[in-house]
């Protein structure tokens, strides 16, 4: 590099040694966006034949048409003293496809506030490819689970049917009665798992169709209390329910919201000790209904909190593995709540401190535009 260029770099806070040795594509642009210097790393990265090949060319014009507006904007913002960073696609001089992480920084001048622009473009092609590969593998996994759970449905209902027939034919034999009961129970368990897998796949692909109706949310609590009675009784747990005196009428999918409640109360029971109490309370104002489910059980470890609502995430295995699911429940719950334009969060003071789940649902059903952007737990 000529001496005057070196001092120019230094003055522009660019370290000449870094400029000479970095594998990144480093450019110094004039304020009009033309290329003044291109680093040796840049010659290599861009697969140029001659080091001066790009000299004095307009930098934005070297990009594919689809990227030019964004690149030109970065130049403009740089002139205004703003630093920008973006990810963009641009093939090399030999037409090798490349993704670039581009940072454009204004260089302070002596006479003017900005004397030029420093552009550092890093080749992130491998990273982008790896990310695409991961996304594809993830999509294939979801697809596989969806297909698998769908395929399991028919054989499972056939098994349930066969067990029932067996019972009507030979139900008087104690062994047959016992075996058909066992098949029933296990098939029921497998069906719930496959339904959960299907739900996750549907939510991930935006294929859940809500059947929106007006209903009293208090009825859902009643239905869940009834549905979970056997499990609660088995653990000698008490459900303490606090409901408003007036109906909490809501527009939403009654079945799905009852499923949400069932999952949360089911977890509360599963993850707390026998003879403990579980509190379910609803509060409502004109805009929202708030459901609070409080248990006094094992609590949620701080390291589980950030991934609590993610697919397949589970805390420490319960002693009774059969009693627990596969970590899909809360992912489904969150997906369904967000489809209703609601929010869910969990609180726990830590191990053995119990857990609180708080669901906030808008009382009128929000249209797509009104809904807060769903988070990407299921993506
Ligand atoms: N009420 C709760 N108390 C303590 N831990 C909970 C509670 N609810 C959920 N968890 C933790 O969150 C994990 C994920 O819950 P979930 O998605 O319902 O999956 P699963 O119940 O199938 O394990 C559970 O494995 C458990 O560790
Ligand atoms: Mg669960």
């Amino acid at each position: 590099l000529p001496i005057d260029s070196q001092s120019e770099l230094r003055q522009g806070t660019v370290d000449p040694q870094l400029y000479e040795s970095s594998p990144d594509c480093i450019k110094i642009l004039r304020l009009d966006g033309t290329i003044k210097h291109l680093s040796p790393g840049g010659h290599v990265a861009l697969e140029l034949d001659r080091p001066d090949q790009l000299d004095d060319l307009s930098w934005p014009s070297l990009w594919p048409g689809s990227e030019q507006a964004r690149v030109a904007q970065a130049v403009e913002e740089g002139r205004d003293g703003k630093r920008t960073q973006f990810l963009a696609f641009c093939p090399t001089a030999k037409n090798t496809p490349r993704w670039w992480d581009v940072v454009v920084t204004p260089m302070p001048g002596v006479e003017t506030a900005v004397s030029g622009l420093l552009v550092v473009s890093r080749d992130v092609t491998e990273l982008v490819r790896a990310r695409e590969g991961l996304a594809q593998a993830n999509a294939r996994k979801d697809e596989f689970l969806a297909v698998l759970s769908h395929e399991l449905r028919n054989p499972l209902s056939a098994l349930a049917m066969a067990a029932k027939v067996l019972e009507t034919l030979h139900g008087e034999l104690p062994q047959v009665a016992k075996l058909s009961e066992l098949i029933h129970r296990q098939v029921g368990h497998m069906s719930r798992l496959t339904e959960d897998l299907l739900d996750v796949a549907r939510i991930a692909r935006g294929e859940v169709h809500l059947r929106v109706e007006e209903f009293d949310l208090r009825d859902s609590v009643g239905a869940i209390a009834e549905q979970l009675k056997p499990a609660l009784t088995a653990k000698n747990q008490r459900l303490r329910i606090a409901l408003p005196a007036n109906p909490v009428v809501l527009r939403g999918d009654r079945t799905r919201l009852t499923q949400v409640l069932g999952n949360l109360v089911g977890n509360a029971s599963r993850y707390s000790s026998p003879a403990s109490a579980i509190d379910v309370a609803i509060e409502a104002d004109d805009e929202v209904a708030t459901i609070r489910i409080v248990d006094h059980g094992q609590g949620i470890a701080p390291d589980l909190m950030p991934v609590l609502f993610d697919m397949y995430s589970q805390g420490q295995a319960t002693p009774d593995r059969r009693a627990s699911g596969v970590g899909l429940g809360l992912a489904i719950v969150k997906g369904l709540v967000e489809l209703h334009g609601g929010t869910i969060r969990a609180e726990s003071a830590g191990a053995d401190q119990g857990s609180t789940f708080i669901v906030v649902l808008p009382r009128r059903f929000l249209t797509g535009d009104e809904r807060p952007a769903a988070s990407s737990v299921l993506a």
Side-chain angles (χ1 to χ4, degrees):
L1 215 59
I3 295 295
D4 61 329
S5 297
Q6 275 197 28
S7 72
E8 189 180 25
L9 285 178
R10 242 188 266 283
Q11 186 199 343
T13 65
V14 181
D15 176 15
Q17 221 165 338
L18 192 68
Y19 178 87
E20 291 292 337
S21 65
S22 170
D24 290 341
C25 177
I26 305 177
K27 288 171 230 73
I28 312 283
L29 306 186
R30 298 184 192 93
L31 290 178
D32 63 1
T34 55
I35 296 173
K36 194 171 180 188
H37 301 297
L38 175 66
S39 68
H43 301 153
V44 178
L46 294 174
E47 302 187 303
L48 302 180
D49 291 326
R50 288 176 293 114
D52 61 351
Q53 200 170 333
L54 302 183
D55 284 6
D56 302 325
L57 294 179
S58 152
W59 179 54
S61 71
L62 299 175
W63 290 79
S66 55
E67 307 279 18
Q68 280 181 10
R70 176 165 35 175
V71 178
Q73 195 192 335
V75 170
E76 203 165 304
E77 286 181 1
R79 268 199 298 261
D80 291 344
K82 269 187 273 171
R83 174 189 185 276
T84 45
Q85 181 166 15
F86 57 91
L87 179 74
F89 177 81
C90 189
T92 66
K94 299 220 171 354
N95 223 11
T96 313
R98 288 272 178 266
W99 283 93
W100 305 95
D101 175 47
V102 185
V103 180
V104 181
T105 319
M107 298 170 79
V110 182
E111 275 125 50
T112 51
V114 180
S115 65
L117 303 174
L118 172 69
V119 179
V120 181
S121 303
R122 177 160 296 177
D123 179 356
V124 289
T125 310
E126 290 294 312
L127 208 68
V128 170
R129 293 230 171 98
R131 204 160 57 190
E132 278 168 3
L134 268 180
Q136 272 168 16
N138 202 33
R140 272 199 301 274
K141 178 213 65 190
D142 285 345
E143 178 69 15
F144 169 74
L145 286 174
V147 169
L148 179 69
S149 43
H150 194 80
E151 291 300 318
L152 282 172
R153 273 174 134 189
N154 288 339
L156 280 174
S157 56
L159 276 176
M161 182 84 78
K164 203 166 247 157
V165 170
L166 196 64
E167 203 182 350
T168 52
L169 287 181
H170 301 289
E172 75 284 358
L173 294 175
Q175 281 101 327
V176 172
K178 219 167 120 192
L179 284 177
S180 59
E181 203 276 321
L182 179 140
I183 296 173
H184 249 294
R185 200 158 16 90
Q186 298 301 338
V187 164
H189 187 53
M190 287 176 74
S191 301
R192 278 190 296 280
L193 283 178
T194 51
E195 282 306 314
D196 277 0
L197 278 172
L198 269 178
D199 268 352
V200 171
R202 287 195 200 106
I203 292 171
R205 293 193 258 168
E207 284 170 5
V208 177
H209 302 293
L210 297 181
R211 248 167 296 185
V212 178
E213 59 179 323
E214 224 161 63
F215 70 100
D216 186 351
L217 193 58
R218 299 180 309 170
D219 295 344
S220 293
V221 179
I224 285 310
E226 197 55 40
Q227 193 180 311
L228 293 182
K229 205 179 223 161
L232 292 165
T233 311
K235 284 189 86 169
N236 191 24
Q237 288 165 329
R238 264 171 314 136
L239 202 56
R240 297 188 298 211
I241 300 174
L243 302 176
N246 296 320
V248 185
V249 176
L250 195 82
R251 279 186 64 74
D253 187 318
R254 178 204 293 264
T255 311
R256 290 309 207 165
L257 289 177
T258 307
Q259 179 188 359
V260 163
L261 248 147
N263 258 311
L264 293 174
V265 177
N267 276 348
S269 162
R270 183 174 298 156
Y271 302 111
S272 29
S273 43
S276 60
I278 296 160
D279 295 289
V280 178
I282 294 183
E283 281 167 32
D285 60 24
D286 292 344
E287 294 289 315
V288 297
T290 304
I291 312 168
R292 205 176 286 266
I293 294 129
V294 183
D295 68 54
H296 307 277
Q298 68 183 45
I300 298 162
D303 62 339
L304 181 62
M305 270 297 181
V307 293
L308 186 66
F309 294 98
D310 291 358
M311 268 193 261
Y312 318 116
S313 76
Q314 293 189 292
Q316 283 208 324
T318 44
D320 183 5
R321 270 297 318 173
R322 282 171 310 157
S324 101
V326 289
L328 295 177
L330 288 180
I332 294 168
V333 161
K334 187 169 203 250
L336 292 176
V337 166
E338 287 179 349
L339 275 175
H340 281 84
T343 58
I344 180 164
R345 64 176 204 276
E347 293 170 359
S348 176
D352 292 323
Q353 302 291 303
S355 311
T356 300
F357 284 81
I358 300 151
V359 179
V360 180
L361 293 167
R363 294 186 62 173
R364 106 198 133 83
F365 192 77
L366 303 178
T367 59
D369 295 343
E370 294 174 304
R371 260 180 256 157
S375 62
S376 55
V377 279
L378 294 160

